[in-house]
Amino acid sequence: MAGLALALFTACSSSKKKEKIGGNNDTTLVSQATAEKKIDPILGKFSVIGSPKLGGPINMRFTVYNNTDTIGKFCTWHTPFEKLMSKYLDVTLDDYTPVDYKGPMAKRVMPPPADSYKKLNAGDSTSADFNLADAYTITKAGNYTIKYNSATISGIVVSDSLKIKVTN
């Protein structure tokens, strides 16, 4: 009889431990502010400088922001931070006609070496200017959409495309 009582006591004791362990894991609450707070990656944004005219330069600026609270880095490959070496933009007319890329296409060995990365302090930004017409054949006046396509190489997230109007 004493053995049966001991067995029941041990069984109840074990199931209470399981409930307590499972309960702690299943009901851990995180404050809403903590749940909503997420660290943004290195972000990029394109802008046009001036008013683009057909046959002239189409001056652009690419700005990279570090919205994290630590030093960040990004690879300069496939960005305006290096001389024109690749097709890192998709440029289309409003009717979705792609604009031909006329620049060089570098072949590289992966992963990128350490000197191809640029550090960016927490909360800082850096910019590079370039002429879109140096690499893309813009032969018609109209509305163009410019979209960055190399986030997987550079580590820069550019969530928005840029729309520009090229006039005669």
Side-chain angles (χ1 to χ4, degrees):
M1 185 85 153
L4 181 60
L6 182 60
L8 285 175
F9 177 75
T10 306
C12 290
S13 194
S14 295
S15 73
K16 284 183 182 176
K17 284 182 185 173
K18 286 180 186 173
E19 283 177 30
K20 185 175 182 182
I21 292 169
N24 285 345
N25 288 342
D26 296 338
T27 60
T28 300
L29 298 178
V30 177
S31 72
Q32 187 171 351
T34 303
E36 289 176 1
K37 180 183 177 187
K38 62 181 182 180
I39 297 173
D40 290 329
I42 303 293
L43 299 176
K45 184 173 178 90
F46 286 95
S47 57
V48 66
I49 302 168
S51 300
K53 300 246 186 240
L54 195 59
I58 301 173
N59 294 315
M60 311 263 316
R61 177 166 290 143
F62 183 56
T63 305
V64 178
Y65 304 89
N66 179 359
N67 291 329
T68 66
D69 57 0
T70 60
I71 294 174
K73 67 179 183 175
F74 62 92
C75 182
T76 59
W77 289 3
H78 298 271
T79 73
F81 288 93
E82 68 172 356
K83 292 187 185 218
L84 189 62
M85 299 289 287
S86 63
K87 181 184 180 286
Y88 52 81
L89 299 173
D90 293 323
V91 181
T92 58
L93 274 163
D94 256 3
D95 66 358
Y96 303 105
T97 303
V99 175
D100 291 333
Y101 173 75
K102 61 181 180 182
M105 291 294 287
K107 289 190 178 195
R108 295 181 166 146
V109 176
M110 292 299 275
D115 67 348
S116 63
Y117 286 87
K118 185 172 179 115
K119 286 186 180 179
L120 195 55
N121 289 328
D124 274 355
S125 65
T126 185
S127 296
D129 294 346
F130 65 100
N131 178 1
L132 185 70
D134 285 345
Y136 291 85
T137 309
I138 309 286
T139 58
K140 293 167 68 174
N143 296 313
Y144 290 83
T145 301
I146 300 159
K147 185 165 178 57
Y148 184 63
N149 65 22
S150 296
T152 55
I153 294 169
S154 68
I156 302 168
V157 175
V158 180
S159 55
D160 297 326
S161 57
L162 176 68
K163 296 196 182 281
I164 64 169
K165 183 174 187 162
V166 177
T167 60
N168 283 321

